[in-house]
Amino acid sequence: MSKFLINKYQSLDVYTPGEQPKDMEYVKLNTNESPYPPSDGVLRAISDEEVSKLNLYPDPECRELREKIASLYSVNAENVFLSNGSDDILNFSFMAFCSDEREAVFPNISYGFYKVFGDLHRVSYNEIPLKDDFTIDVNDYVNVGKTVVIANPNAPTGLALSCDEIERIVSSNPDNVVVIDEAYIDFGGKTCVALTKKYDNLLVVQTFSKSRSMAGARLGFAVGSKALIDDLNRIKYSTNPYNINRLTLLAGSAAIDENDYYMDCCMKIMKTREYTKKKLKELGFTYLDSMTNFIFARSDKISGEDYYKKLKANGVLVRHFSNPAISDYVRITVGTDEQMNKLFEVTEKLLSEC
């Protein structure tokens, strides 16, 4: 770092994105991207004519896309907030709803950005341990009296809480915001968006990166009470009101128009996920009951770190975490059947060498 970086940022432990090496061709199962391309309508929306309009600012209010999302989820447009990926919304949420006086709580094994955002904004936070089976103990968050942030389904475990469990948390903390990060909800979970009509302290955050094949477009949205959405807009308009570009807005709008295509892709991924679980079990792996587009798995025959490294050497990327509590595991993105078969082929070879 340079000598000019101010002191409060020098000690930041930054978020580490999934690696994207270019030294060889890899089967990429490490960043939870969809293996399926965007719909035809999305590709048509980004036309030469629209590209020629990049000299013009995008609509800062994102009216058309907000209205389409509102219609899809049976809420009002005033209840929808759009931003540059769900990470942007989570960042704004830490800025808006957390402070030294208003502590945040989230699981100690979860999306790594929560801790980074807490440190970045110098807010107090408490990481609550998961249970021994990696599930979230709802009782830890009932009447906690703090800003609650929960990924549901959780990452990297893939386990999900029910809407009834989420409602227990929300209803018991009426004076605090509860942020539910539903990045992976379309792969078998049940969204809690409907609860935002009942509780003014619930913010549900989703992304186009996973189930809608737009990780490279950077688009996320949140649903909540008008007051919460106004709070997020206050942060947005104080930083960058044009934080979603014209082409991404067009792509997002077309994706909502063709939502059936994406839900069909989710069904394909879920089918491949179950196939992958079966094959991993045959290979002697154990895994958690994922409700996402990834599987958190381990083997007694090879350590998580060695498995990750040897897969990489053989052209297959998965994600490994150094946290001792989960270092025996790897997180495997569910790709196409062909991609998973390559994983199994390499895995069989590696296990035969153990």
Side-chain angles (χ1 to χ4, degrees):
M1 69 185 73
S2 78
K3 64 182 180 181
F4 305 106
L5 184 66
I6 61 177
N7 290 338
K8 70 176 182 177
Y9 295 131
Q10 290 181 6
S11 61
L12 281 178
D13 186 9
V14 301
Y15 177 75
T16 304
E19 62 184 322
Q20 302 200 44
K22 305 297 183 184
D23 58 312
M24 62 185 286
E25 185 175 345
Y26 289 93
V27 174
K28 197 165 178 292
L29 305 176
N30 67 323
T31 50
N32 298 342
E33 297 151 318
S34 173
Y36 300 108
S39 61
D40 291 341
V42 167
L43 302 181
R44 288 193 299 269
I46 307 173
S47 64
D48 289 345
E49 179 184 358
E50 293 298 341
V51 170
S52 73
K53 297 177 183 177
L54 287 178
N55 58 307
L56 304 176
Y57 283 111
D59 174 14
E61 296 184 14
C62 312
R63 294 179 189 88
E64 179 180 343
L65 182 50
R66 282 174 53 231
E67 288 171 358
K68 288 185 177 183
I69 291 173
S71 177
L72 181 63
Y73 288 93
S74 300
V75 297
N76 296 320
E78 67 184 12
N79 302 120
V80 177
F81 176 81
L82 283 159
S83 202
N84 189 266
S86 59
D87 288 339
D88 213 28
I89 301 171
L90 295 168
N91 183 30
F92 288 173
S93 296
F94 272 81
M95 293 172 68
F97 308 125
C98 306
S99 68
D100 285 341
E101 295 78 30
R102 191 178 296 173
E103 185 177 359
V105 293
F106 45 84
N108 67 330
I109 298 173
S110 191
Y111 186 31
F113 239 139
Y114 303 153
K115 184 177 184 298
V116 173
F117 289 143
D119 290 337
L120 175 65
H121 299 299
R122 294 297 188 265
V123 303
S124 300
Y125 62 84
N126 180 28
E127 298 176 273
I128 298 178
L130 298 177
K131 294 195 288 186
D132 291 342
D133 61 358
F134 293 112
T135 59
I136 291 172
D137 189 339
V138 174
N139 294 318
D140 288 335
Y141 299 88
V142 170
N143 294 313
V144 73
K146 306 177 191 301
T147 300
V148 176
V149 183
I150 292 177
N152 192 52
N154 196 15
T157 65
L159 302 176
L161 297 174
S162 68
C163 286
D164 287 344
E165 290 173 311
I166 296 295
E167 184 168 14
R168 279 190 63 204
I169 296 171
V170 176
S171 64
S172 70
N173 292 286
D175 298 323
N176 296 87
V177 174
V178 176
V179 179
I180 302 299
D181 180 359
E182 292 188 343
Y184 300 98
I185 201 65
D186 290 326
F187 300 103
K190 185 177 179 182
T191 181
C192 292
V193 163
L195 291 177
T196 62
K197 298 179 181 181
K198 187 176 179 181
Y199 299 98
D200 64 1
N201 62 323
L202 172 61
L203 186 74
V204 176
V205 182
Q206 292 195 21
T207 179
F208 280 66
S209 294
K210 314 300 181 183
S211 60
R212 292 189 173 91
S213 303
M214 286 175 53
R218 311 311 304 133
L219 181 62
F221 67 95
V223 180
S225 66
K226 182 180 183 301
L228 289 184
I229 300 305
D230 287 346
D231 292 341
L232 294 177
N233 274 313
R234 180 176 292 271
I235 303 296
K236 171 183 171 177
Y237 280 85
S238 299
T239 51
N240 180 10
Y242 301 109
N243 63 349
I244 305 176
N245 69 69
R246 293 179 62 92
L247 300 184
T248 292
L249 285 175
L250 289 167
S253 183
I256 295 298
D257 288 342
E258 298 185 326
N259 192 59
D260 287 348
Y261 166 81
Y262 294 101
M263 296 305 102
D264 285 345
C265 289
C266 289
M267 293 300 296
K268 290 179 185 177
I269 290 169
M270 291 162 65
K271 183 177 180 181
T272 302
R273 181 183 69 202
E274 298 313 304
Y275 165 67
T276 301
K277 288 179 179 178
K278 181 176 180 238
K279 292 293 291 185
L280 287 172
K281 186 175 182 180
E282 291 172 359
L283 292 168
F285 282 75
T286 56
Y287 47 81
L288 303 185
D289 187 20
S290 174
M291 298 289 281
T292 64
N293 67 337
F294 59 83
I295 298 170
F296 205 47
R298 65 180 297 274
S299 170
D300 290 332
K301 297 180 181 179
I302 187 170
S303 72
E305 183 176 9
D306 285 346
Y307 184 45
Y308 150 72
K309 288 180 176 178
K310 290 180 179 180
L311 282 176
K312 182 178 178 180
N314 284 271
V316 179
L317 292 176
V318 298
R319 190 78 187 263
H320 178 257
F321 300 90
S322 59
N323 182 336
I326 55 175
S327 60
D328 286 342
Y329 289 79
V330 294
R331 192 194 68 191
I332 304 168
T333 300
V334 177
T336 63
D337 287 348
E338 292 74 19
Q339 288 175 315
M340 306 319 291
N341 285 334
K342 176 63 175 179
L343 169 75
F344 304 143
E345 176 189 329
V346 174
T347 299
E348 288 178 359
K349 172 178 175 288
L350 297 179
L351 293 180
S352 70
E353 297 169 354
C354 291

